[in-house]
Amino acid sequence: QNGAKIKYVMPTVRDARRYHRLKLHLWEMSEFSKVAFFDSDMIFFSKPDAAFEDCGNKSFCATKDSNGEFNAGFLLIRPDAKEATRLKQAWRERPGLYEQQLLNREN
């Protein structure tokens, strides 16, 4: 209707953290100029379109949680292959972190 596209990403990792690691693949979606990711537990009371305007040309945007850290359940990013590689390398170097912890340390 408004030109938005939905892309389903098949899991590529078979460990317990696979769903967290999948978010790091967002940066590989170079066929899109911007990618929005919302966890399934997000509830919208109005259209989320304003998030794209609020983010502007930034390469990474996320809401903040009550601790002032990024909430990885609501992300807007600009795909970038180099950033994808950097984040996945950081993930491998810090195996105990979830994606939210990683993004708060790396951004």
Side-chain angles (χ1 to χ4, degrees):
Q1 207 178 48
N2 63 2
K5 295 180 183 179
I6 298 173
K7 181 175 180 176
Y8 178 74
V9 178
M10 292 292 295
T12 58
V13 179
R14 300 287 182 217
D15 65 31
R17 300 180 311 148
R18 69 183 178 268
Y19 299 109
H20 297 283
R21 187 178 188 280
L22 281 174
K23 289 180 188 176
L24 302 181
H25 290 282
L26 295 172
W27 279 265
E28 296 175 337
M29 296 181 165
S30 60
E31 66 269 30
F32 303 105
S33 60
K34 291 183 182 177
V35 175
F37 179 89
F38 312 113
D39 275 349
S40 62
D41 63 350
M42 298 299 287
I43 298 173
F44 295 96
F45 296 102
S46 62
K47 295 191 300 184
D49 299 3
F52 284 95
E53 295 169 15
D54 293 345
C55 189
N57 288 327
K58 295 176 187 166
S59 61
F60 174 84
C61 291
T63 57
K64 295 212 175 189
D65 63 18
S66 59
N67 296 322
E69 294 188 337
F70 293 122
N71 179 340
F74 187 110
L75 301 172
L76 291 171
I77 63 108
R78 258 189 310 175
D80 181 320
K82 289 180 184 177
E83 184 67 1
T85 300
R86 186 183 75 78
L87 287 170
K88 285 194 245 175
Q89 179 62 36
W91 176 272
R92 284 188 291 275
E93 292 171 0
R94 298 170 183 91
L97 295 181
Y98 287 104
E99 87 293 355
Q100 184 163 307
Q101 295 166 317
L102 177 72
L103 292 173
N104 275 287
R105 285 171 176 72
E106 295 294 318
N107 283 302

